[in-house]
Amino acid sequence: MRKIIAKTPRIILRPFALRDAAGFYELNSDPEVLLHTGDKSFASILEAKNFIRDYKHYEKFGYGRWSVFLASTEEFMGFCGLNFSQLRREVDLGFRFHRKFWGQGFATEAGFAALRVGFSTFQIEKIVGRASSKNLASLRVLEKLGMTFEKKIEESGEHWIQMSIYRDDFGMFYE
Ligand SMILES: CC(C)(COP(=O)(O)OP(=O)(O)OC[C@H]1O[C@@H](n2cnc3c(N)ncnc32)[C@H](O)[C@@H]1OP(=O)(O)O)[C@@H](O)C(=O)NCCC(=O)NCCS
């Protein structure tokens, strides 16, 4: 059985595995899902498999983005987790779910679980979240997780908002 990174009453976070490739491919085939992400869809399930096979974040840092499953059915819902940017020297939280799961608090639940792992298991000092200024749902999730506005970024003609939360404040926010 695959390792469990975090579990809440409704969802389970696990490391990416090759068997998630079809779910990943479908997730990134929905233009609405990709609208504000700046990512491209996979050309095929094989490309999604190769992405998962080449994903080295866990080996390098211990953490990474993780697959999210519905606890009741084990259905693949999307991903949520942490990413270390070599360029920016900071850890960011990201999430992406199949559209049928939107609007039910899943991103907030998964985001909270991922932040807890980042702060308590990996003792990360600060975690940021970046979203297009048009991505109101994502910005709202970051806000619900206790993140506060840090700065605006302009990149490839797109406006992004960076929010962040520190380990000490995460504890206080949820106590
Ligand atoms: C962003 C995303 C992960 C949110 O997932 P989710 O499970 O629907 O999020 P939650 O249900 O936990 O919370 C969504 C919040 O945004 C709000 N929201 C949704 N659409 C909104 C909109 N157009 N304007 C303002 N608020 C909006 C919801 O009302 C909710 O806030 P509330 O609890 O105060 O009512 C999901 O929409 C997604 O996968 N989008 C595509 C990928 C993506 O953009 N990822 C983020 C890249 S930075």
Side-chain angles (χ1 to χ4, degrees):
M1 195 59 186
R2 209 185 320 173
K3 180 174 164 186
I4 291 179
I5 301 296
K7 198 172 184 313
T8 74
R10 294 193 300 166
I11 56 170
I12 301 171
L13 272 61
R14 292 195 175 100
F16 293 156
L18 290 178
R19 76 185 86 131
D20 304 336
F24 240 104
Y25 169 74
E26 275 166 39
L27 179 70
N28 279 12
S29 297
D30 183 341
E32 278 243 20
V33 167
L34 292 190
L35 187 64
H36 299 300
T37 64
D39 278 359
K40 288 191 298 182
S41 46
F42 292 114
S44 60
I45 295 180
L46 182 63
E47 196 177 284
K49 261 191 188 151
N50 290 339
F51 169 82
I52 293 169
R53 187 176 288 122
D54 295 342
Y55 191 77
K56 300 288 180 239
H57 226 77
Y58 312 133
E59 286 158 40
K60 281 191 193 153
F61 307 107
Y63 55 83
R65 304 282 199 233
W66 298 296
S67 290
V68 182
F69 300 88
L70 198 60
S72 55
T73 62
E74 292 278 330
E75 190 178 349
F76 175 83
M77 304 169 76
F79 70 76
C80 177
L82 307 171
N83 177 69
F84 179 75
S85 161
Q86 302 276 8
L87 185 72
R88 300 175 197 269
R89 314 297 305 168
E90 63 193 8
V91 180
D92 70 74
L93 174 72
F95 29 69
R96 187 178 302 175
F97 289 90
H98 277 289
R99 223 190 308 169
K100 69 174 186 178
F101 294 113
W102 292 7
Q104 299 163 67
F106 285 120
T108 308
E109 197 165 318
F112 174 70
L115 286 181
R116 192 161 50 188
V117 172
F119 287 132
S120 60
T121 309
F122 295 98
Q123 290 292 304
I124 298 166
E125 281 292 318
K126 174 194 174 190
I127 298 177
V128 308
R130 262 186 301 276
S132 156
S133 57
K134 295 181 202 136
N135 196 347
L136 301 180
S138 182
L139 290 168
R140 176 73 187 125
V141 172
L142 298 176
E143 188 184 24
K144 285 197 291 179
L145 290 170
M147 289 198 183
T148 52
F149 174 83
E150 194 174 291
K151 61 182 173 185
K152 288 183 182 174
I153 303 166
E154 204 181 330
E155 216 173 72
S156 356
E158 186 78 41
H159 294 273
W160 301 83
I161 292 177
Q162 178 159 317
M163 318 254 300
S164 63
I165 185 165
Y166 287 83
R167 192 172 65 218
D168 292 351
D169 296 332
F170 181 73
M172 278 166 57
F173 188 75
Y174 288 98
E175 257 156 25

